[in-house]
Amino acid sequence: MATKLTENFTLEELTHSETALRLGFENSPSPAAYENLIRLAQLLEQVRKLLNKPILVNSGYRSKPVNDAVGSKDSSQHRVGCAADFRVPGMSPKEVCEAIIASDIQFDQLIREFWEESKGGGWTHISVTNTPNLTPRGQALIIDKNGTRPYA
């Protein structure tokens, strides 16, 4: 039985990892990461309501072995259960990011990752602060083959 974190998001969905399954790695969050995943699921609910569409989570929490295997930094917010990469059926990552930026949703970081106008693809990364008492940065970025830069 799935462990619901919010109405539309489960613990299993936010900890699922094809990399972990393929390599046999554990991908269970610590108690602190679990609490962060609840806050993350609440943020994703706001995005889902804004867009009025389902959200397909590609990656949420990542244990250290999983994070290392995908080539991410130890400082990644995925490591502490504060970030999710997702897609929205029928919307490009550009459209998703622009809708979130134009809304009053408070995010720590929003990244349009590896989306190209002519090729599509990519995903949206969103995060909450690493601890609940911090003020979200509202940092919006683009990451693609040209590097990392502020969202424009």
Side-chain angles (χ1 to χ4, degrees), residues 53-71:
K53 291 181 179 280
I55 290 174
L56 306 174
V57 176
N58 301 339
S59 179
Y61 171 78
R62 295 184 199 137
S63 65
K64 180 165 177 40
V66 172
N67 200 60
D68 290 349
V70 300

Side-chain angles (χ1 to χ4, degrees), residues 69-122:
V70 300
S72 190
K73 298 176 185 174
D74 269 345
S75 60
S76 169
Q77 288 183 293
H78 289 276
R79 286 278 299 113
V80 292
C82 290
D85 297 337
F86 66 94
R87 293 174 290 110
V88 178
M91 293 183 77
S92 72
K94 179 181 180 186
E95 292 168 322
V96 171
C97 287
E98 288 175 357
I100 294 169
I101 290 167
S103 77
D104 61 354
I105 292 175
Q106 300 293 303
F107 56 86
D108 189 54
Q109 202 173 53
L110 180 71
I111 308 173
R112 188 185 84 199
E113 295 194 59
F114 302 102
W115 177 81
E116 293 183 48
E117 188 85 43
S118 63
K119 297 180 182 176

Side-chain angles (χ1 to χ4, degrees), residues 38-57:
I38 293 171
R39 292 187 306 113
L40 178 62
Q42 291 166 343
L43 176 63
L44 291 170
E45 288 287 358
Q46 292 177 51
V47 173
R48 189 179 194 280
K49 183 177 179 184
L50 170 73
L51 303 176
N52 196 30
K53 291 181 179 280
I55 290 174
L56 306 174
V57 176

